[in-house]
Amino acid sequence: MTTTPSAPGTATARSITHPIAAKWPARHPERLQLYSLPTPNGVKVSILLEELGLPYEPHLVRFDTNDQFSPEFLSLNPNNKIPAILDPDGPGGRPLALFESGAILVYLAEKTGRFLPQDPAARYEALQWVMWQMGGVGPMFGQLGFFHKFAGKDYEDKRPRDRYVAESKRLLGVLEQRLAGRDWILGDDYTIADIAVFPWVRNLVGFYEARELVGFGDFPQVQRVLDAFVARPAVARGLEIPQRG
């Protein structure tokens, strides 16, 4: 349901009046516009969009050229982080600009009535796991990645790295216990909780190369559900969106 990333100078750019369209013109302004990069936070939204089958148009926000600090991007997300969306058919039929991946997941799930339980108790159960990812998994795994793979790996003092390793192991243990006897985080139903959590788990043991560091073999339930997650066709597609230019 995606289109190729837009190119500057597209004639339809004037159909979207938001300032972000000056840098990322829309070829299909009637579609939901996604501004992102295939990072763990970014692919949460592209995966959900692929699962939903909603028409959308992805735009690559390049970190190597500091696109996230451009005035156009900041007009949509003043926090200069991806992902962000612009939905031309938001609440009441009016355009809605939205940032923060967790908020976007909830919005799209509620917009379509899918991947978020309708039962109030189950709905809040799903939301608590989305918040758990946003407040714990993302920040802790990300810091581990910095101290293990990137500039932090050169620090002689390994206490910061070890702090994030220990916390990442603890979080994996929480998830391991939760998944025992369950197909997905909420049980039988695949939800935005899984879409929030498992891109980060995949990144931890893949891109961050921290499988051995966190003793990932001690978490067989997490591995089982991660395998089921990446086997979904919509997940496989969403992990590559937007395509890096």
Side-chain angles (χ1 to χ4, degrees):
M1 300 300 293
T2 67
T3 66
T4 56
S6 62
T10 306
T12 57
R14 291 188 298 273
S15 298
I16 292 182
T17 59
H18 196 282
I20 200 166
K23 187 173 179 67
W24 290 277
R27 287 196 176 101
H28 300 278
E30 75 283 0
R31 300 181 183 181
L32 185 146
Q33 305 292 305
L34 170 66
Y35 308 90
S36 192
L37 187 71
T39 67
N41 280 335
V43 299
K44 293 181 203 173
V45 177
S46 55
I47 287 170
L48 180 56
L49 286 166
E50 289 293 319
E51 294 278 13
L52 292 169
L54 283 175
Y56 71 101
E57 182 173 357
H59 304 273
L60 182 68
V61 179
R62 299 183 63 100
F63 286 1
D64 58 347
T65 55
N66 290 323
D67 282 354
Q68 72 273 29
F69 297 111
S70 66
E72 294 86 355
F73 188 77
L74 292 173
S75 72
L76 183 62
N77 183 0
N79 196 39
N80 63 268
K81 302 291 184 182
I82 59 94
I85 65 169
L86 181 60
D87 186 358
D89 185 26
R94 294 184 296 273
L96 175 69
L98 199 62
F99 64 90
E100 283 296 329
S101 58
I104 296 170
L105 292 183
V106 175
Y107 169 70
L108 292 174
E110 292 186 338
K111 176 184 175 77
T112 58
R114 298 179 62 196
F115 301 114
L116 184 62
Q118 298 297 311
D119 173 75
R123 178 179 181 274
Y124 283 112
E125 189 176 5
L127 291 176
Q128 77 177 352
W129 286 100
V130 173
M131 303 305 169
W132 177 79
Q133 182 277 306
M134 298 290 292
V137 167
M140 296 300 106
F141 288 11
Q143 293 290 352
L144 186 155
F146 173 80
F147 283 102
H148 177 59
K149 182 171 182 176
F150 298 109
K153 71 180 184 300
D154 298 323
Y155 293 3
E156 291 184 10
D157 187 347
K158 298 304 179 186
R159 286 175 294 179
R161 186 205 66 174
D162 293 345
R163 163 74 175 91
Y164 293 116
V165 169
E167 182 62 5
S168 295
K169 287 182 177 180
R170 187 191 70 80
L171 291 165
L172 287 169
V174 172
L175 186 58
E176 176 76 8
Q177 183 178 31
R178 174 66 183 182
L179 293 173
R182 293 182 170 90
D183 291 337
W184 301 102
I185 290 175
L186 258 67
D188 294 336
D189 294 330
Y190 172 77
T191 70
I192 60 171
D194 304 291
I195 295 172
V197 169
F198 282 100
W200 275 102
V201 176
R202 174 181 176 268
N203 209 64
L204 177 71
V205 299
F207 182 67
Y208 288 160
E209 302 172 354
R211 178 180 291 271
E212 293 184 6
L213 187 64
V214 299
F216 197 67
D218 295 334
F219 307 103
Q221 302 304 321
V222 179
Q223 179 71 73
R224 169 182 60 83
V225 181
L226 174 61
D227 290 343
F229 178 73
V230 297
R232 295 178 68 90
V235 172
R237 294 192 302 271
L239 287 171
E240 303 298 326
I241 298 171
Q243 292 185 358
R244 296 178 185 268

